[in-house]
C-alpha cells in the first residue's frame, strides 16, 4: 500500500464524508481524490524524480503532496520559513527538478536569482499540459525530509511507501484511530510528526481539521469545539501553553477529546499530570521517534500508569536495544531496527555510518525499566560532564522552569579549566519579570545537587529551537 | 557598579558573603561559622562547593574572580578579601 491507496480506500468507503477541513474550505474524500488526480496529471514532464513542495498547511499542500506522489515522484517537503541559504542547499542536495509552492513563497523565491529550478504556484501547475502518470511501487520513495538538526547540519531522509504504511498502521492500531475520529492538526505537514498524523487520518478515513499553526490557542480550542473533534496533535510546548486557560474552561473544550498525541520532546511531568486531570474522557499520549525511525515507541498516559517520564514501549515489530559499550549500567545509546527505519541517508555516506546491520544508532541516551518502558535521558552530545559527573540538561531545565518569572530556559555545557565543563543557563524571562541571577542560583542550590549548579547565567531574548520545540544546543555552545 | 556602591560598606559586604555561605552550606549553623575557619574544617566544602561559592559571589557582586583567586580562597575571610579587592 501507499498513501494513494489509503486515499482510494477511504474514497470507496466514505466518498461524501469530509476528508479535510482547512481554515478556508473543505473537501470530501471523493473531491480530494479528483483534485489529486487532476493535479498529478498536470505535473507533466519533470526531468528529475524529486519535486520540492514549499508551503504552509492548507488543502493545496495536501493536493500537491498527494499529486506529486501519484505522479510517481518523490515529494521533497521544505519548511516555508527556511533561510534562502538552507533552501538552496536542500534543493541542490535533493536534486530537485521542480518547485511547487504558494504564491507568497514563489514571490520570495523569484527574488532569489540563485535558484534556477522552475517553480510553480499551485494553480499554475494546473495550466501545464496533461501527461500520463506512472504506477507506484512499494519501494519507491514517497517523500524526502531534511532532519531538523538539533546537533548538526540537517541530513536528507527519504521515506519509502513501505515505511509509510508500516508506521501509519502502527499509529492507528496503537492509538486506536478510527473513521469516527475528527482530528485537529495544527502541526506543520512538512515534518514527520504532522505528516504522520495526516497519513493516519487518510488511512482510517477520519476527518482532518488542518490549522496553519499552533500559536493561536483560541483557534485550536474553537476548532475542537466547532468540529466536535476527538483527537488533537500538538508539541509539548503547546500543551504547556494551553494550561494558561482556566482548568474548567480547558476541560470543557476538551470534553470530547479521546486522545491528545504529543511528541517526545521532554514533557514537564506536571503538564502530564494536569492533562490527566483535565481529560475526562481521554488520554494524553506520546511517542519516541526520529524522522529516520518514525514512531518507534508509544506511550499512553492513562490514569493507572504512573510513568510520566517514559516514552513508552517499542511499537509493534520495532526492536529497540540499549547499547552500552562499557557495560557498566543499564543506560546507553538507543538503537532501533524495524520497517520504520531507513536503510540509508540521502546521498550522505558519512551519516550512513549511523546505520549498522539494519540498526539505527540514534545518539539518544536512555534505558528500559523492568516492564520494558523506555526512558530518555538525553542526547550523547548534550550530556554535560562536570569533573566526571554526567548530567543531562533536561533535569536542570525542568527545575529552573519552576521558578516564577521564567518563560524558557536552555542548559548546556561550557568549558571550564578545572572541571572540564560546567553548566550555563540561557534564560528568557517572562514579560515584566524582575528576576535576578542571585534568585535563580538560590533556587538551584535548594533544588539541585551542588555539581549541577550553573556557573553562568545569561538573560536572552529567545532560545534557538527546531519546529518541534527541541533546543538547538549546538547553536548555544 | 550600582550594587557595588550600595555594598561598599564593609559590613554589608561581609553580611552578603556570610549569607552566601549559609546558602551554599544549608546545614551550617551560626555557631559553626567563623571568618577564619578553613576549608578543611568544613565537612562539605569540596571542589563543587568551592565552585558554588565563587558562582554565587560573582553573581551577587557582579565581579569575575580569576582561576588563581578562586583556588586561593580557603576561608570566608579569603573570599571577603577577594571581593573587597574587586570593589575598591
Amino acid at each position: 500500500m501507499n498513501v494513494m491507496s489509503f486515499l482510494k480506500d477511504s474514497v470507496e468507503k466514505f466518498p461524501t464524508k469530509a476528508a479535510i477541513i482547512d481554515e478556508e474550505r473543505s473537501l470530501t474524500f471523493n473531491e480530494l481524490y479528483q483534485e489529486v488526480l487532476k493535479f498529478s496529471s498536470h505535473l507533466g514532464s519533470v526531468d528529475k524524480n524529486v519535486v520540492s513542495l514549499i508551503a504552509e498547511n492548507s488543502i493545496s499542500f495536501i493536493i500537491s503532496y498527494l499529486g506529486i506522489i501519484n505522479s510517481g515522484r518523490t515529494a521533497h517537503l521544505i519548511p516555508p520559513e527556511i533561510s534562502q541559504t538552507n533552501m538552496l542547499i536542500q534543493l541542490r542536495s535533493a536534486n530537485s527538478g521542480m518547485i511547487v509552492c504558494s504564491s507568497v513563497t514563489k514571490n520570495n523565491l523569484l527574488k532569489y536569482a540563485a535558484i534556477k529550478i522552475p517553480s510553480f504556484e499551485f494553480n499554475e501547475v494546473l495550466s501545464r499540459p496533461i501527461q500520463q502518470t506512472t504506477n507506484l511501487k512499494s519501494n519507491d520513495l514517497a517523500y524526502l525530509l531534511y532532519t531538523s538538526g538539533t546537533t548538526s547540519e540537517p541530513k536528507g531522509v527519504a521515506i519509502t511507501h513501505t515505511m509509510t504504511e508500516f508506521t501509519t498502521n502502527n499509529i492507528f492500531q496503537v492509538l486506536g484511530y478510527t473513521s469516527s475520529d475528527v482530528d485537529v492538526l495544527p502541526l506543520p505537514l512538512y515534518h514527520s510528526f504532522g505528516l504522520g498524523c495526516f497519513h493516519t487520518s487518510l488511512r482510517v478515513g477520519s476527518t482532518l481539521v488542518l490549522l496553519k499553526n499552533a500559536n493561536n490557542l483560541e483557534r485550536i480550542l474553537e476548532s475542537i469545539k466547532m468540529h466536535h473533534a476527538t483527537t488533537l496533535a500538538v508539541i509539548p510546548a503547546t500543551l504547556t501553553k494551553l494550561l494558561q486557560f482556566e482548568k474548567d474552561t480547558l476541560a470543557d473544550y476538551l470534553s470530547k477529546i479521546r486522545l491528545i498525541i504529543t511528541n517526545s520532546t521532554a514533557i514537564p511531568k506536571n503538564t502530564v499530570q494536569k492533562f490527566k486531570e483535565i481529560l475526562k474522557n481521554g488520554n494524553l499520549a506520546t511517542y519516541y521517534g526520529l524522522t529516520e525511525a518514525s514512531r518507534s515507541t508509544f506511550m499512553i498516559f492513562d490514569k493507572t500508569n504512573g510513568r510520566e517520564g517514559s516514552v513508552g514501549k517499542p511499537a509493534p515489530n520495532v526492536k529497540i536495544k540499549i547499547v552500552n559499550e562499557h557495560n557498566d549500567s543499564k543506560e546507553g545509546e538507543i538503537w532501533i531496527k524495524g520497517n520504520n527505519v531507513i536503510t540509508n541517508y540521502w546521498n550522505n555516506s558519512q551519516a550512513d555510518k549511523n546505520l549498522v546491520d539494519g540498526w539505527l544508532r540514534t545518539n539518544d541516551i536512555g534505558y528500559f525499566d523492568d516492564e520494558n518502558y523506555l526512558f530518555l535521558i538525553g542526547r550523547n552530545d548534550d550530556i554535560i560532564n562536570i569533573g566526571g559527573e554526567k548530567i543531562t540538561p533536561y533535569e536542570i531545565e525542568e527545575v529552573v522552569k519552576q521558578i516564577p518569572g521564567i518563560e524558557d530556559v536552555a542548559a548546556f555545557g561550557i568549558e571550564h579549566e578545572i572541571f572540564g565543563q560546567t553548566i550555563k543557563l540561557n534564560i528568557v524571562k517572562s514579560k515584566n519579570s524582575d528576576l535576578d541571577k542571585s534568585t535563580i542560583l538560590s533556587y538551584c542550590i535548594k533544588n539541585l545537587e551542588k555539581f549541577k549548579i550553573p556557573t553562568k547565567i545569561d538573560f536572552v531574548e529567545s532560545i534557538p529551537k527546531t519546529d518541534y520545540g527541541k533546543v538547538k544546543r549546538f547553536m548555544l555552545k | 557598579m550600582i550594587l557595588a556602591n550600595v555594598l561598599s560598606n564593609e559590613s554589608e559586604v561581609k553580611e552578603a558573603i556570610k549569607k552566601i555561605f549559609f546558602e551554599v552550606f544549608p546545614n551550617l549553623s551560626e555557631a559553626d561559622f567563623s571568618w577564619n575557619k578553613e576549608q578543611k574544617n568544613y565537612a562539605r566544602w569540596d571542589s563543587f562547593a568551592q565552585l558554588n561559592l565563587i558562582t554565587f559571589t560573582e553573581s551577587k557582586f557582579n565581579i569575575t574572580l580569576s582561576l588563581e583567586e578562586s583556588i586561593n580562597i580557603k576561608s570566608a575571610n579569603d573570599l571577603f578579601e577577594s571581593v573587597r579587592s574587586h570593589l575598591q
Side-chain angles (χ1 to χ4, degrees):
Chain A
M1 287 183 88
N2 57 64
V3 288
M4 276 308 292
S5 42
F6 296 169
L7 176 56
K8 285 177 196 167
D9 276 1
S10 291
V11 170
E12 284 176 18
K13 291 176 189 162
F14 320 105
T16 58
K17 180 182 172 183
I20 314 279
I21 301 169
D22 74 4
E23 294 180 30
E24 292 166 9
R25 58 181 173 146
S26 68
L27 291 181
T28 65
F29 279 102
N30 191 47
E31 288 168 339
L32 175 63
Y33 185 55
Q34 297 306 323
E35 293 266 6
V36 169
L37 293 182
K38 186 173 160 190
F39 186 93
S40 182
S41 66
H42 282 280
L43 268 180
S45 61
V46 179
D47 61 357
K48 293 171 182 169
N49 281 330
V50 175
V51 174
S52 300
L53 174 57
I54 315 175
E56 314 76 32
N57 279 5
S58 65
I59 285 179
S60 296
F61 180 110
I62 285 176
I63 293 168
S64 307
Y65 170 71
L66 293 173
I68 293 166
I69 287 175
N70 191 54
S71 76
R73 298 186 179 92
T74 302
H76 165 214
L77 308 181
I78 302 181
E81 72 278 11
I82 194 171
S83 71
Q84 290 188 334
T85 305
N86 282 339
M87 179 162 58
L88 198 57
I89 290 170
Q90 281 204 24
L91 289 170
R92 281 183 183 147
S93 165
N95 196 22
S96 178
M98 179 197 247
I99 297 169
V100 177
C101 57
S102 60
S103 56
V104 175
T105 311
K106 190 177 179 192
N107 289 337
N108 292 337
L109 274 175
L110 289 176
K111 288 179 188 166
Y112 195 43
I115 295 174
K116 304 293 184 193
I117 302 165
S119 58
F120 298 86
E121 290 180 33
F122 302 123
N123 290 336
E124 290 173 338
V125 172
L126 299 178
S127 63
R128 289 164 56 85
I130 293 177
Q131 198 170 69
Q132 187 69 37
T133 55
T134 56
N135 290 328
L136 298 179
K137 301 185 193 82
S138 60
N139 287 333
D140 283 347
L141 299 175
Y143 61 94
L144 170 64
L145 299 175
Y146 281 75
T147 58
S148 49
T150 52
T151 58
S152 62
E153 290 304 310
K155 299 183 284 277
V157 178
I159 306 297
T160 65
H161 293 293
T162 307
M163 292 169 71
T164 305
E165 180 189 7
F166 178 86
T167 299
T168 308
N169 286 346
N170 273 348
I171 295 172
F172 92 78
Q173 284 165 8
V174 174
L175 299 178
Y177 282 88
T178 70
S179 59
S180 303
D181 278 319
V182 176
D183 312 311
V184 170
L185 183 65
L187 296 168
L189 290 166
Y190 45 79
H191 282 309
S192 178
F193 186 6
L195 195 62
C197 293
F198 161 59
H199 290 157
T200 305
S201 300
L202 207 60
R203 173 74 175 82
V204 301
S206 58
T207 297
L208 184 73
V209 179
L210 189 61
L211 305 180
K212 282 196 191 302
N213 66 61
N215 294 326
N216 191 337
L217 301 179
E218 286 81 6
R219 176 159 278 179
I220 292 174
L221 293 177
E222 288 301 330
S223 297
I224 288 170
K225 199 160 197 171
M226 183 192 304
H227 299 291
H228 307 289
T230 57
T231 82
L232 170 67
V234 285
I235 60 172
T238 306
L239 282 180
T240 303
K241 284 181 191 168
L242 280 169
L243 290 173
Q244 72 185 244
F245 290 94
E246 288 283 328
K247 188 177 171 185
D248 289 345
T249 306
L250 201 53
D252 182 46
Y253 274 106
L254 302 178
S255 61
K256 299 275 195 316
I257 289 286
R258 67 160 191 86
L259 176 78
I260 295 180
I261 179 72
T262 188
N263 66 340
S264 61
T265 309
I267 314 170
K269 283 183 185 172
N270 64 345
T271 299
V272 176
Q273 286 160 352
K274 284 178 181 171
F275 271 93
K276 275 186 171 181
E277 295 165 13
I278 288 165
L279 292 173
K280 304 291 182 202
N281 299 301
N283 290 309
L284 178 65
T286 191
Y287 71 89
Y288 166 63
L290 299 82
T291 307
E292 46 272 68
S294 185
R295 272 73 165 188
S296 293
T297 71
F298 289 98
M299 176 73 185
I300 299 173
F301 298 108
D302 62 36
K303 309 290 189 277
T304 58
N305 194 332
R307 294 174 177 83
E308 279 89 2
S310 174
V311 292
K313 293 186 173 184
N317 299 311
V318 173
K319 292 178 185 170
I320 296 181
K321 65 180 178 181
I322 303 297
V323 178
N324 179 335
E325 288 177 4
H326 306 295
N327 221 15
D328 56 358
S329 84
K330 63 179 184 179
E331 297 171 2
E333 186 181 15
I334 299 167
W335 289 34
I336 305 171
K337 190 176 196 175
N339 285 347
N340 60 330
V341 177
I342 57 169
T343 52
N344 57 274
Y345 285 88
W346 182 267
N347 297 331
N348 192 333
S349 56
Q350 185 65 27
D352 285 344
K353 291 175 184 169
N354 289 324
L355 292 155
V356 183
D357 297 330
W359 291 94
L360 173 72
R361 299 181 57 165
T362 65
N363 206 26
D364 289 328
I365 304 298
Y367 67 92
F368 280 109
D369 72 5
D370 295 339
E371 292 184 43
N372 208 32
Y373 282 89
L374 181 65
F375 288 78
L376 299 182
I377 296 173
R379 287 188 69 80
N380 250 340
D381 306 325
D382 293 344
I383 300 291
I384 307 165
N385 189 334
I386 303 172
E389 298 282 355
K390 291 179 180 171
I391 301 152
T392 71
Y394 317 113
E395 58 186 301
I396 311 295
E397 290 165 0
E398 180 140 343
V399 168
V400 175
K401 275 179 185 167
Q402 306 301 321
I403 303 172
I406 288 187
E407 186 176 305
D408 203 0
V409 58
F412 53 100
I414 53 171
E415 284 187 22
H416 190 277
E417 287 178 87
I418 295 174
F419 292 95
Q421 281 188 305
T422 57
I423 297 166
K424 183 179 175 187
L425 299 180
N426 277 9
I427 287 176
V428 180
K429 288 200 278 191
S430 309
K431 205 173 179 182
N432 302 324
S433 168
D434 58 358
L435 191 67
D436 61 28
K437 295 177 185 178
S438 294
T439 306
I440 296 165
L441 287 171
S442 295
Y443 187 89
C444 289
I445 200 92
K446 290 185 183 79
N447 293 283
L448 290 166
E449 293 93 329
K450 57 190 171 188
F451 57 90
K452 296 178 183 172
I453 307 303
T455 58
K456 296 281 179 200
I457 299 172
D458 274 354
F459 292 119
V460 297
E461 293 293 317
S462 63
I463 307 285
K465 290 185 177 177
T466 69
D467 290 329
Y468 279 175
K470 290 181 183 173
V471 176
K472 292 181 173 178
R473 285 176 214 281
F474 73 100
M475 290 179 69
L476 299 171
K477 292 175 184 171
Chain B
M1 293 313 291
I2 295 169
L3 186 64
N5 290 335
V6 171
L7 295 174
S8 60
N9 181 298
E10 196 166 284
S11 63
E12 285 184 22
V13 174
K14 278 199 160 185
E15 194 54 39
I17 288 177
K18 191 173 173 183
K19 196 177 166 198
I20 288 170
F21 264 75
F22 280 89
E23 282 208 273
V24 172
F25 303 110
N27 296 325
L28 190 67
S29 68
E30 192 70 38
D32 286 337
F33 177 83
S34 86
W35 285 97
N36 292 316
K37 181 177 172 181
E38 294 202 342
Q39 177 181 8
K40 62 188 176 190
N41 296 318
Y42 283 81
R44 299 180 181 216
W45 188 341
D46 60 11
S47 57
F48 289 121
Q50 178 92 354
L51 188 64
N52 296 161
L53 283 171
I54 302 302
T55 301
F56 274 65
T57 302
E58 288 180 334
S59 170
K60 184 73 185 174
F61 296 100
N62 198 22
I63 59 174
T64 303
L65 301 179
S66 69
L67 181 64
E68 191 180 355
E69 281 178 296
S70 302
I71 291 170
N72 286 329
I73 291 165
K74 308 283 187 199
S75 67
N77 197 54
D78 288 344
L79 186 57
F80 167 69
E81 291 297 339
S82 194
V83 170
R84 194 165 67 166
S85 72
H86 279 266
L87 297 182
Q88 281 173 349

